[in-house]
Amino acid sequence: MGKGKRSSGSAIAAVALLLFFTGAATLLIGCAGAPHRGETPSPPAVPAGREPATAAPPFQARPPFALPGLKVPAPSPGRPVRVLLGGAQKDIRIEGDSIRAWNAAGTPVAGEAGRVILSAIGEKIRWGAGKMVDSPIDISSPSGLRVDGKPLVARVRVSARKGELYAVAVVPLEEYVAAVVSREAPPSFRHEALSALAVAVRTYALLSMEKPRDQTHDLVAGVEDQVFEGMDHIDSVFLKAAEATRGEVLSYGGALARAVYHSTCGGKTENAKDAWGKDFSFLRSVTCDDCLESPVRRWDYRMTAEEGKRVARSLGVQVKDDPAIRIASRSSTGRASRIRIISGGVSRDVSAADFRRVAGYARVRSLKMEIARSGDGWKITGEGYGHGVGMCQWGANGMAKRGKTYREILARYYPGTELAGVAH
Ligand SMILES: [Zn+2]
Protein backbone atom coordinates (compact mmCIF):
# COMPACT_ATOMS: atom_id res chain seq x y z
CA MET A 1 0.00 0.00 0.00
CA GLY A 2 2.56 2.73 -0.39
CA LYS A 3 0.96 5.27 -2.56
CA GLY A 4 3.97 7.49 -2.33
CA LYS A 5 6.34 4.90 -3.69
CA ARG A 6 4.24 3.46 -6.37
CA SER A 7 6.61 4.34 -9.11
CA SER A 8 8.63 1.30 -8.21
CA GLY A 9 5.96 -0.63 -9.97
CA SER A 10 3.55 -3.35 -9.24
CA ALA A 11 6.07 -6.17 -9.11
CA ILE A 12 5.01 -6.92 -5.60
CA ALA A 13 1.40 -6.27 -6.27
CA ALA A 14 -0.98 -7.69 -3.78
CA VAL A 15 -3.02 -10.66 -4.76
CA ALA A 16 -6.53 -11.74 -4.01
CA LEU A 17 -7.73 -14.87 -5.64
CA LEU A 18 -10.66 -17.12 -5.82
CA LEU A 19 -10.13 -20.65 -4.73
CA PHE A 20 -12.76 -23.21 -5.32
CA PHE A 21 -13.36 -25.81 -2.73
CA THR A 22 -15.60 -28.81 -2.68
CA GLY A 23 -17.39 -27.72 -5.78
CA ALA A 24 -19.87 -25.29 -4.38
CA ALA A 25 -18.25 -23.21 -1.73
CA THR A 26 -16.28 -20.24 -2.83
CA LEU A 27 -13.52 -18.99 -0.67
CA LEU A 28 -12.00 -15.63 -1.10
CA ILE A 29 -8.50 -15.10 0.00
CA GLY A 30 -7.08 -11.68 0.05
CA CYS A 31 -3.97 -9.83 0.61
CA ALA A 32 -3.27 -6.24 0.12
CA GLY A 33 -0.56 -3.83 -0.05
CA ALA A 34 3.07 -3.53 -0.66
CA PRO A 35 4.95 -0.44 0.33
CA HIS A 36 6.17 -0.09 -3.21
CA ARG A 37 4.04 1.22 -5.19
CA GLY A 38 -5.20 -7.75 -2.30
CA GLU A 39 -19.16 -14.79 -1.96
CA THR A 40 -22.09 -15.30 -0.91
CA PRO A 41 -25.35 -14.83 -2.75
CA SER A 42 -27.51 -12.38 -0.89
CA PRO A 43 -29.34 -9.23 -1.78
CA PRO A 44 -27.22 -6.11 -1.60
CA ALA A 45 -27.67 -5.01 1.96
CA VAL A 46 -26.30 -1.55 1.44
CA PRO A 47 -28.68 0.78 -0.26
CA ALA A 48 -27.10 1.26 -3.62
CA GLY A 49 -28.95 4.32 -4.77
CA ARG A 50 -27.74 7.59 -3.43
CA GLU A 51 -29.56 10.00 -5.59
CA PRO A 52 -28.25 13.49 -5.06
CA ALA A 53 -30.94 15.73 -3.65
CA THR A 54 -31.33 18.11 -6.53
CA ALA A 55 -28.13 18.57 -8.38
CA ALA A 56 -25.24 16.26 -7.70
CA PRO A 57 -22.72 18.25 -5.79
CA PRO A 58 -19.48 17.98 -7.70
CA PHE A 59 -16.95 15.92 -5.89
CA GLN A 60 -14.81 18.17 -3.76
CA ALA A 61 -12.10 17.32 -1.31
CA ARG A 62 -12.94 18.77 2.04
CA PRO A 63 -10.32 20.29 4.27
CA PRO A 64 -8.43 17.72 6.32
CA PHE A 65 -9.45 17.33 9.91
CA ALA A 66 -7.78 15.71 12.88
CA LEU A 67 -8.99 12.23 13.73
CA PRO A 68 -9.00 11.52 17.45
CA GLY A 69 -5.66 9.89 18.23
CA LEU A 70 -3.99 11.04 15.05
CA LYS A 71 -1.56 13.91 15.05
CA VAL A 72 -1.49 14.08 11.29
CA PRO A 73 -4.63 15.48 9.70
CA ALA A 74 -6.52 12.76 7.91
CA PRO A 75 -8.90 13.07 4.99
CA SER A 76 -12.38 14.06 5.99
CA PRO A 77 -14.54 11.09 6.95
CA GLY A 78 -17.24 12.58 4.77
CA ARG A 79 -15.07 12.35 1.71
CA PRO A 80 -15.87 9.35 -0.44
CA VAL A 81 -13.25 7.00 -1.84
CA ARG A 82 -12.56 7.35 -5.54
CA VAL A 83 -11.95 3.94 -7.09
CA LEU A 84 -10.83 3.59 -10.70
CA LEU A 85 -12.89 0.88 -12.40
CA GLY A 86 -10.71 -0.76 -15.03
CA GLY A 87 -8.41 1.28 -17.22
CA ALA A 88 -8.70 3.66 -20.12
CA GLN A 89 -11.56 2.76 -22.45
CA LYS A 90 -12.96 4.04 -25.72
CA ASP A 91 -16.54 3.42 -24.68
CA ILE A 92 -18.30 2.85 -21.41
CA ARG A 93 -21.74 1.32 -21.02
CA ILE A 94 -23.77 2.73 -18.17
CA GLU A 95 -26.93 0.97 -17.03
CA GLY A 96 -29.48 2.09 -14.47
CA ASP A 97 -33.19 2.78 -14.01
CA SER A 98 -32.97 6.50 -14.37
CA ILE A 99 -29.50 7.65 -15.32
CA ARG A 100 -28.73 11.29 -14.75
CA ALA A 101 -25.55 13.27 -15.29
CA TRP A 102 -24.23 16.53 -13.91
CA ASN A 103 -21.25 18.58 -14.92
CA ALA A 104 -18.50 19.74 -12.58
CA ALA A 105 -20.55 22.80 -11.65
CA GLY A 106 -23.47 20.63 -10.55
CA THR A 107 -25.70 21.48 -13.50
CA PRO A 108 -27.74 18.62 -14.98
CA VAL A 109 -26.43 17.89 -18.47
CA ALA A 110 -27.99 14.63 -19.60
CA GLY A 111 -30.37 11.81 -18.68
CA GLU A 112 -31.36 8.43 -19.97
CA ALA A 113 -33.46 5.51 -18.85
CA GLY A 114 -32.05 2.00 -18.91
CA ARG A 115 -28.78 2.31 -20.69
CA VAL A 116 -26.44 4.71 -22.39
CA ILE A 117 -23.11 4.33 -24.16
CA LEU A 118 -20.51 7.01 -23.52
CA SER A 119 -17.52 7.57 -25.74
CA ALA A 120 -14.57 9.90 -25.66
CA ILE A 121 -14.04 12.49 -28.33
CA GLY A 122 -10.77 14.12 -27.43
CA GLU A 123 -11.33 15.77 -24.07
CA LYS A 124 -15.12 15.65 -24.38
CA ILE A 125 -17.69 12.97 -23.70
CA ARG A 126 -20.31 11.89 -26.21
CA TRP A 127 -23.52 10.91 -24.45
CA GLY A 128 -25.41 8.24 -26.39
CA ALA A 129 -25.99 8.94 -30.05
CA GLY A 130 -24.60 12.40 -30.30
CA LYS A 131 -24.88 14.87 -27.45
CA MET A 132 -21.47 16.22 -26.44
CA VAL A 133 -20.78 17.18 -22.83
CA ASP A 134 -17.77 18.60 -21.11
CA SER A 135 -15.60 16.27 -19.04
CA PRO A 136 -15.91 15.27 -16.27
CA ILE A 137 -19.48 14.29 -15.48
CA ASP A 138 -20.98 12.76 -12.37
CA ILE A 139 -23.54 10.07 -13.06
CA SER A 140 -26.02 8.43 -10.74
CA SER A 141 -29.27 6.51 -10.69
CA PRO A 142 -31.68 5.97 -7.78
CA SER A 143 -31.20 2.20 -7.75
CA GLY A 144 -27.52 2.22 -8.59
CA LEU A 145 -25.47 1.97 -11.73
CA ARG A 146 -23.62 -0.72 -13.55
CA VAL A 147 -20.54 0.22 -15.49
CA ASP A 148 -19.87 -2.17 -18.38
CA GLY A 149 -22.15 -4.66 -16.69
CA LYS A 150 -19.99 -4.99 -13.64
CA PRO A 151 -19.87 -3.29 -10.28
CA LEU A 152 -23.01 -1.90 -8.81
CA VAL A 153 -22.24 1.53 -7.48
CA ALA A 154 -24.29 4.55 -6.55
CA ARG A 155 -22.24 7.11 -8.34
CA VAL A 156 -19.60 7.28 -11.04
CA ARG A 157 -17.46 10.10 -12.31
CA VAL A 158 -16.50 9.76 -15.96
CA SER A 159 -13.64 11.77 -17.45
CA ALA A 160 -12.33 11.99 -20.98
CA ARG A 161 -8.63 12.32 -21.62
CA LYS A 162 -6.99 12.17 -25.02
CA GLY A 163 -9.82 10.22 -26.57
CA GLU A 164 -10.18 7.75 -23.74
CA LEU A 165 -12.65 7.43 -20.89
CA TYR A 166 -12.01 6.72 -17.24
CA ALA A 167 -14.76 5.63 -14.89
CA VAL A 168 -14.21 6.29 -11.21
CA ALA A 169 -16.67 4.97 -8.64
CA VAL A 170 -17.32 7.50 -5.90
CA VAL A 171 -18.06 5.37 -2.84
CA PRO A 172 -18.80 6.36 0.75
CA LEU A 173 -15.86 5.17 2.86
CA GLU A 174 -17.75 2.73 5.07
CA GLU A 175 -19.50 1.13 2.10
CA TYR A 176 -16.12 0.74 0.43
CA VAL A 177 -14.73 -0.94 3.57
CA ALA A 178 -17.58 -3.49 3.70
CA ALA A 179 -17.31 -4.15 -0.03
CA VAL A 180 -13.56 -4.80 0.12
CA VAL A 181 -13.75 -6.98 3.24
CA SER A 182 -16.41 -9.05 1.45
CA ARG A 183 -13.94 -9.84 -1.33
CA GLU A 184 -10.81 -10.18 0.74
CA ALA A 185 -12.14 -12.65 3.32
CA PRO A 186 -14.68 -15.49 3.39
CA PRO A 187 -18.01 -14.99 5.18
CA SER A 188 -17.22 -17.94 7.42
CA PHE A 189 -14.61 -15.87 9.25
CA ARG A 190 -15.35 -14.82 12.81
CA HIS A 191 -16.64 -11.33 13.49
CA GLU A 192 -13.50 -10.23 15.35
CA ALA A 193 -11.26 -11.33 12.46
CA LEU A 194 -13.44 -9.50 9.92
CA SER A 195 -13.44 -6.45 12.19
CA ALA A 196 -9.63 -6.46 12.31
CA LEU A 197 -9.58 -6.67 8.53
CA ALA A 198 -12.09 -3.82 8.27
CA VAL A 199 -9.72 -1.59 10.26
CA ALA A 200 -6.82 -2.54 7.97
CA VAL A 201 -8.89 -1.94 4.82
CA ARG A 202 -10.10 1.43 6.09
CA THR A 203 -6.58 2.48 7.03
CA TYR A 204 -5.37 1.49 3.57
CA ALA A 205 -8.12 3.53 1.97
CA LEU A 206 -7.38 6.61 4.04
CA LEU A 207 -3.66 6.37 3.25
CA SER A 208 -4.61 6.19 -0.42
CA MET A 209 -6.79 9.26 -0.04
CA GLU A 210 -3.86 11.11 1.50
CA LYS A 211 -1.65 10.13 -1.41
CA PRO A 212 -3.91 9.43 -4.37
CA ARG A 213 -2.62 7.44 -7.31
CA ASP A 214 -3.80 10.14 -9.66
CA GLN A 215 -5.69 13.40 -9.52
CA THR A 216 -8.80 11.57 -10.71
CA HIS A 217 -8.75 8.61 -8.33
CA ASP A 218 -7.37 7.45 -4.99
CA LEU A 219 -6.88 3.79 -5.82
CA VAL A 220 -7.77 1.11 -8.31
CA ALA A 221 -10.41 -1.60 -7.96
CA GLY A 222 -8.05 -4.50 -8.58
CA VAL A 223 -5.44 -6.48 -6.73
CA GLU A 224 -2.85 -3.70 -7.00
CA ASP A 225 -4.79 -2.07 -4.18
CA GLN A 226 -7.77 -3.79 -2.61
CA VAL A 227 -10.34 -5.81 -4.49
CA PHE A 228 -13.51 -3.77 -5.03
CA GLU A 229 -16.38 -5.25 -6.99
CA GLY A 230 -19.17 -2.86 -6.15
CA MET A 231 -21.96 -3.29 -3.70
CA ASP A 232 -23.34 -6.59 -5.03
CA HIS A 233 -23.71 -9.60 -2.77
CA ILE A 234 -22.31 -8.22 0.41
CA ASP A 235 -23.14 -10.60 3.21
CA SER A 236 -24.35 -8.99 6.42
CA VAL A 237 -21.30 -10.29 8.30
CA PHE A 238 -19.11 -7.88 6.34
CA LEU A 239 -21.42 -4.96 6.91
CA LYS A 240 -21.42 -5.71 10.62
CA ALA A 241 -17.61 -5.77 10.71
CA ALA A 242 -17.42 -2.38 8.99
CA GLU A 243 -20.11 -0.96 11.24
CA ALA A 244 -18.56 -2.32 14.44
CA THR A 245 -15.31 -0.51 13.66
CA ARG A 246 -16.75 2.54 11.91
CA GLY A 247 -14.13 5.27 11.58
CA GLU A 248 -11.39 3.29 13.29
CA VAL A 249 -7.93 3.24 11.80
CA LEU A 250 -4.49 2.03 12.82
CA SER A 251 -1.92 4.64 13.68
CA TYR A 252 1.75 4.56 14.42
CA GLY A 253 3.60 7.57 15.76
CA GLY A 254 0.50 9.67 15.21
CA ALA A 255 0.22 8.89 11.49
CA LEU A 256 -1.75 6.29 9.57
CA ALA A 257 0.04 2.94 9.68
CA ARG A 258 0.68 0.82 6.59
CA ALA A 259 -1.67 -1.94 7.67
CA VAL A 260 -0.83 -4.50 5.00
CA TYR A 261 -2.27 -7.98 5.23
CA HIS A 262 -2.16 -11.34 3.50
CA SER A 263 -4.01 -14.64 3.50
CA THR A 264 -1.82 -17.10 5.39
CA CYS A 265 1.69 -16.70 6.78
CA GLY A 266 2.40 -20.39 7.27
CA GLY A 267 3.96 -20.04 10.71
CA LYS A 268 5.82 -16.74 10.69
CA THR A 269 4.99 -13.40 9.13
CA GLU A 270 7.63 -11.71 6.99
CA ASN A 271 9.66 -8.59 7.73
CA ALA A 272 8.67 -5.69 5.48
CA LYS A 273 12.37 -5.01 5.07
CA ASP A 274 12.99 -8.49 3.67
CA ALA A 275 9.95 -8.38 1.40
CA TRP A 276 10.24 -4.83 0.12
CA GLY A 277 13.52 -3.39 1.35
CA LYS A 278 11.94 -0.91 3.72
CA ASP A 279 11.67 -1.40 7.44
CA PHE A 280 8.57 -0.51 9.45
CA SER A 281 8.86 -1.35 13.12
CA PHE A 282 5.25 -2.58 13.20
CA LEU A 283 5.80 -4.80 10.15
CA ARG A 284 8.42 -7.09 11.58
CA SER A 285 8.10 -10.84 11.69
CA VAL A 286 5.93 -12.39 14.40
CA THR A 287 5.41 -16.07 15.07
CA CYS A 288 1.91 -17.21 14.17
CA ASP A 289 0.53 -20.61 15.05
CA ASP A 290 -3.08 -19.63 14.46
CA CYS A 291 -3.32 -20.22 10.71
CA LEU A 292 -3.12 -24.02 10.90
CA GLU A 293 -6.68 -24.35 9.62
CA SER A 294 -5.99 -22.38 6.46
CA PRO A 295 -6.62 -24.43 3.32
CA VAL A 296 -3.38 -22.99 1.96
CA ARG A 297 -1.29 -23.65 5.07
CA ARG A 298 0.52 -26.10 2.78
CA TRP A 299 0.39 -26.25 -0.98
CA ASP A 300 2.26 -27.67 -3.89
CA TYR A 301 2.52 -26.88 -7.54
CA ARG A 302 3.92 -28.95 -10.38
CA MET A 303 5.74 -26.77 -12.83
CA THR A 304 6.21 -28.43 -16.19
CA ALA A 305 9.43 -28.21 -18.18
CA GLU A 306 7.80 -25.83 -20.65
CA GLU A 307 6.46 -23.63 -17.89
CA GLY A 308 9.87 -23.49 -16.24
CA LYS A 309 11.44 -22.40 -19.52
CA ARG A 310 8.80 -19.76 -20.05
CA VAL A 311 9.33 -18.38 -16.56
CA ALA A 312 13.10 -18.38 -17.04
CA ARG A 313 12.81 -16.54 -20.36
CA SER A 314 10.40 -14.02 -18.88
CA LEU A 315 13.02 -13.30 -16.26
CA GLY A 316 15.60 -12.54 -18.94
CA VAL A 317 17.44 -15.87 -18.85
CA GLN A 318 18.66 -17.22 -22.20
CA VAL A 319 17.37 -20.78 -22.12
CA LYS A 320 19.60 -23.10 -24.12
CA ASP A 321 18.75 -26.41 -22.51
CA ASP A 322 16.72 -27.73 -19.62
CA PRO A 323 17.40 -25.10 -17.00
CA ALA A 324 18.18 -25.87 -13.38
CA ILE A 325 16.06 -23.84 -10.97
CA ARG A 326 16.91 -23.64 -7.30
CA ILE A 327 16.66 -21.33 -4.32
CA ALA A 328 19.86 -19.33 -3.91
CA SER A 329 19.11 -17.46 -0.70
CA ARG A 330 16.43 -17.01 1.94
CA SER A 331 15.22 -14.31 4.30
CA SER A 332 15.47 -14.78 8.05
CA THR A 333 11.94 -16.24 8.10
CA GLY A 334 12.89 -18.90 5.58
CA ARG A 335 11.25 -17.34 2.54
CA ALA A 336 13.12 -17.50 -0.73
CA SER A 337 14.75 -14.20 -1.60
CA ARG A 338 16.82 -15.14 -4.67
CA ILE A 339 16.30 -17.88 -7.24
CA ARG A 340 19.21 -19.29 -9.27
CA ILE A 341 18.53 -20.37 -12.83
CA ILE A 342 21.29 -22.21 -14.67
CA SER A 343 21.10 -22.90 -18.39
CA GLY A 344 23.79 -23.57 -20.96
CA GLY A 345 26.42 -23.32 -18.27
CA VAL A 346 25.35 -19.78 -17.39
CA SER A 347 24.09 -19.09 -13.90
CA ARG A 348 21.80 -16.20 -13.16
CA ASP A 349 20.18 -15.09 -9.91
CA VAL A 350 16.80 -13.39 -9.98
CA SER A 351 14.54 -11.98 -7.30
CA ALA A 352 12.28 -14.65 -5.83
CA ALA A 353 9.42 -12.14 -5.78
CA ASP A 354 9.81 -11.69 -9.55
CA PHE A 355 9.92 -15.46 -10.00
CA ARG A 356 6.64 -15.76 -8.11
CA ARG A 357 5.01 -12.94 -10.08
CA VAL A 358 6.00 -14.42 -13.42
CA ALA A 359 5.05 -17.98 -12.44
CA GLY A 360 1.70 -16.72 -11.15
CA TYR A 361 0.64 -15.73 -7.65
CA ALA A 362 -2.02 -18.44 -7.60
CA ARG A 363 0.48 -21.15 -8.50
CA VAL A 364 3.49 -20.21 -6.44
CA ARG A 365 1.42 -19.04 -3.52
CA SER A 366 4.20 -17.83 -1.26
CA LEU A 367 7.96 -17.63 -1.11
CA LYS A 368 8.05 -19.99 1.88
CA MET A 369 8.82 -22.83 -0.51
CA GLU A 370 11.09 -25.59 -1.71
CA ILE A 371 11.82 -26.34 -5.34
CA ALA A 372 12.70 -29.91 -6.34
CA ARG A 373 13.23 -31.57 -9.69
CA SER A 374 10.34 -33.88 -10.52
CA GLY A 375 10.26 -35.76 -13.82
CA ASP A 376 10.80 -33.24 -16.62
CA GLY A 377 9.69 -30.35 -14.46
CA TRP A 378 9.68 -29.24 -10.87
CA LYS A 379 7.64 -29.80 -7.76
CA ILE A 380 7.28 -26.66 -5.70
CA THR A 381 5.99 -27.18 -2.20
CA GLY A 382 5.26 -24.33 0.14
CA GLU A 383 3.46 -22.92 3.13
CA GLY A 384 1.08 -19.99 3.30
CA TYR A 385 -0.35 -17.62 0.73
CA GLY A 386 0.64 -14.06 -0.02
CA HIS A 387 3.57 -11.80 0.72
CA GLY A 388 3.45 -12.69 4.40
CA VAL A 389 3.82 -9.14 5.71
CA GLY A 390 1.51 -7.69 8.36
CA MET A 391 -1.71 -9.39 9.41
CA CYS A 392 -2.17 -13.07 8.62
CA GLN A 393 -5.89 -13.30 7.94
CA TRP A 394 -6.26 -16.98 8.71
CA GLY A 395 -4.20 -16.36 11.82
CA ALA A 396 -6.57 -13.54 12.74
CA ASN A 397 -9.46 -15.96 12.37
CA GLY A 398 -7.64 -18.53 14.50
CA MET A 399 -7.16 -15.91 17.20
CA ALA A 400 -10.84 -14.95 17.01
CA LYS A 401 -11.73 -18.61 17.51
CA ARG A 402 -9.62 -18.56 20.66
CA GLY A 403 -11.74 -15.68 21.90
CA LYS A 404 -9.39 -12.83 21.06
CA THR A 405 -10.80 -9.44 20.10
CA TYR A 406 -10.03 -7.49 16.97
CA ARG A 407 -7.94 -5.13 19.07
CA GLU A 408 -5.83 -8.03 20.31
CA ILE A 409 -5.51 -9.32 16.75
CA LEU A 410 -4.33 -5.95 15.44
CA ALA A 411 -1.93 -5.52 18.37
CA ARG A 412 -0.34 -8.86 17.62
CA TYR A 413 0.23 -8.42 13.90
CA TYR A 414 0.98 -4.70 13.98
CA PRO A 415 2.90 -4.35 17.26
CA GLY A 416 3.24 -0.83 18.57
CA THR A 417 0.31 0.57 16.59
CA GLU A 418 -2.75 2.12 18.15
CA LEU A 419 -6.37 2.37 17.20
CA ALA A 420 -7.29 5.91 16.27
CA GLY A 421 -10.54 7.52 15.28
CA VAL A 422 -12.29 5.54 17.98
CA ALA A 423 -15.57 7.13 18.82
CA HIS A 424 -16.46 4.86 21.69
ZN1 LIG B 1 -0.32 -17.11 10.20
Side-chain angles (χ1 to χ4, degrees):
M1 22 212 303
K3 309 306 179 274
K5 300 171 196 69
R6 242 172 207 141
S7 53
S8 304
S10 55
I12 321 163
V15 63
L17 295 154
L18 282 174
L19 294 183
F20 293 95
F21 284 88
T22 61
T26 302
L27 171 65
L28 291 141
I29 292 193
C31 79
H36 287 266
R37 30 126 231 130
E39 196 154 358
T40 54
S42 65
V46 169
R50 288 289 171 98
E51 178 75 347
T54 48
F59 169 72
Q60 284 171 346
R62 299 183 196 178
F65 87 115
L67 272 175
L70 274 186
K71 293 176 194 139
V72 178
S76 161
R79 156 139 143 44
V81 190
R82 301 171 304 161
V83 191
L84 180 67
L85 305 172
Q89 292 156 272
K90 275 281 170 209
D91 305 293
I92 289 177
R93 185 174 85 246
I94 305 275
E95 292 165 297
D97 291 343
S98 172
I99 307 165
R100 293 160 69 189
W102 292 262
N103 65 15
T107 308
V109 291
E112 189 70 57
R115 154 192 170 123
V116 62
I117 306 284
L118 309 185
S119 41
I121 308 291
E123 308 293 308
K124 292 203 166 212
I125 299 165
R126 188 171 64 198
W127 179 276
K131 182 173 185 175
M132 300 294 293
V133 294
D134 285 334
S135 168
I137 50 173
D138 287 325
I139 307 172
S140 84
S141 173
S143 54
L145 296 167
R146 287 192 190 280
V147 179
D148 287 332
K150 282 208 292 192
L152 179 71
V153 292
R155 190 161 154 200
V156 170
R157 166 164 283 202
V158 174
S159 318
R161 240 193 263 168
K162 294 179 181 166
E164 296 188 297
L165 291 179
Y166 297 84
V168 173
V170 181
V171 191
L173 176 64
E174 295 300 333
E175 291 183 19
Y176 172 81
V177 170
V180 170
V181 173
S182 80
R183 295 306 188 268
E184 297 274 11
S188 58
F189 268 19
R190 296 291 173 101
H191 174 69
E192 295 297 323
L194 294 175
S195 297
L197 181 59
V199 173
V201 167
R202 186 180 299 105
T203 308
Y204 187 107
L206 283 166
L207 264 174
S208 305
M209 289 155 75
E210 272 188 6
K211 293 172 185 163
R213 273 185 178 266
D214 186 273
Q215 59 178 1
T216 62
H217 59 274
D218 302 307
L219 32 67
V220 301
V223 294
E224 298 92 331
D225 283 314
Q226 305 186 113
V227 175
F228 173 77
E229 296 177 330
M231 305 311 295
D232 286 303
H233 306 310
I234 298 184
D235 193 285
S236 61
V237 295
F238 303 115
L239 298 165
K240 280 182 193 148
E243 182 55 36
T245 60
R246 174 175 285 269
E248 295 181 11
V249 292
L250 268 189
S251 75
Y252 183 81
L256 291 169
R258 294 185 188 283
V260 294
Y261 53 93
H262 59 277
S263 160
T264 304
C265 76
K268 242 180 192 185
T269 67
E270 180 60 301
N271 296 297
K273 185 157 186 10
D274 288 327
W276 303 314
K278 179 156 179 159
D279 184 33
F280 294 86
S281 69
F282 54 91
L283 295 179
R284 291 185 188 149
S285 178
V286 298
T287 300
C288 168
D289 48 9
D290 281 297
C291 53
L292 292 171
E293 285 184 16
S294 167
V296 281
R297 178 75 166 81
R298 292 182 198 287
W299 53 267
D300 60 66
Y301 173 63
R302 287 191 182 275
M303 182 179 272
T304 64
E306 276 314 302
E307 177 73 356
K309 286 179 188 171
R310 182 194 70 79
V311 169
R313 284 195 196 99
S314 300
L315 291 166
V317 176
Q318 288 213 329
V319 178
K320 296 194 171 125
D321 53 10
D322 248 9
I325 301 177
R326 64 177 71 124
I327 291 164
S329 62
R330 294 181 184 274
S331 73
S332 60
T333 65
R335 288 172 173 85
S337 50
R338 305 288 291 173
I339 303 285
R340 183 160 301 157
I341 304 176
I342 305 167
S343 183
V346 179
S347 170
R348 174 125 187 234
D349 284 5
V350 297
S351 131
D354 285 347
F355 176 84
R356 181 171 171 238
R357 174 177 53 80
V358 170
Y361 291 126
R363 294 177 180 137
V364 178
R365 291 175 172 167
S366 78
L367 295 178
K368 209 161 183 285
M369 62 174 178
E370 305 288 342
I371 303 176
R373 197 85 216 198
S374 171
D376 295 353
W378 295 268
K379 186 178 184 192
I380 306 179
T381 50
E383 294 174 296
Y385 196 171
H387 51 57
V389 183
M391 182 164 62
C392 165
Q393 287 193 66
W394 279 87
N397 197 48
M399 285 183 75
K401 284 187 169 178
R402 289 196 285 117
K404 301 294 181 188
T405 66
Y406 76 96
R407 290 169 183 249
E408 289 171 305
I409 293 169
L410 293 167
R412 178 198 197 175
Y413 292 108
Y414 307 109
T417 58
E418 292 172 22
L419 267 184
V422 185
H424 49 273

